[in-house]
Amino acid sequence: MSNVFIVLQANEDSRAIVEAIVDDNPTAIVNHQPAMVKIDVPGRLVLRRETVEEKIGRDYDLQEMQVHLISLSGHVDETEDEFTLHWND
């Protein structure tokens, strides 16, 4: 199974996103760098709006994540409630 990944800026705003990804993806491997955070997940990464809202303490539009996005690898599926990266294996 191939990994997918997402890379976000290392800043206070993306901290809740990283925490939500880890909560929603127990197999996530987080690599903190000085200016970025890379998260690898085998097969499929799911980010749920509801989980980010729990972490951030307010309503959250998943489109806000793109302000902090540096790179990603995988096919993207987006709804109002979920952002998913996966490979069509």
Side-chain angles (χ1 to χ4, degrees), residues 1-13:
M1 180 180 315
S2 298
N3 283 357
V4 295
F5 70 78
I6 190 167
V7 183
L8 301 167
Q9 296 173 10
N11 59 40
E12 186 60 31
D13 292 336

Side-chain angles (χ1 to χ4, degrees), residues 19-33:
E19 290 177 3
I21 290 171
V22 170
D23 280 2
D24 288 341
N25 302 273
T27 59
I29 300 164
V30 181
N31 182 354
H32 293 273
Q33 298 292 320

Side-chain angles (χ1 to χ4, degrees), residues 49-83:
R49 179 187 48 79
E50 180 179 28
T51 309
V52 178
E53 289 177 345
E54 289 171 8
K55 301 293 180 187
I56 207 164
R58 65 171 175 82
D59 289 343
Y60 189 79
D61 182 337
L62 288 175
Q63 295 289 314
E64 293 178 54
M65 175 193 61
Q66 295 186 22
V67 172
H68 310 288
L69 182 64
I70 296 172
S71 183
L72 54 80
S73 176
H75 297 285
V76 175
D77 288 326
E78 277 185 285
T79 67
E80 288 183 8
D81 297 320
E82 285 188 0
F83 175 90

Side-chain angles (χ1 to χ4, degrees), residues 1-6 25 27-29 38-46 72-75 84-89:
M1 180 180 315
S2 298
N3 283 357
V4 295
F5 70 78
I6 190 167
N25 302 273
T27 59
I29 300 164
K38 181 181 182 208
I39 305 162
D40 289 279
V41 181
R44 178 180 219 78
L45 180 153
V46 177
L72 54 80
S73 176
H75 297 285
T84 305
L85 289 174
H86 62 91
W87 292 114
N88 291 334
D89 293 332

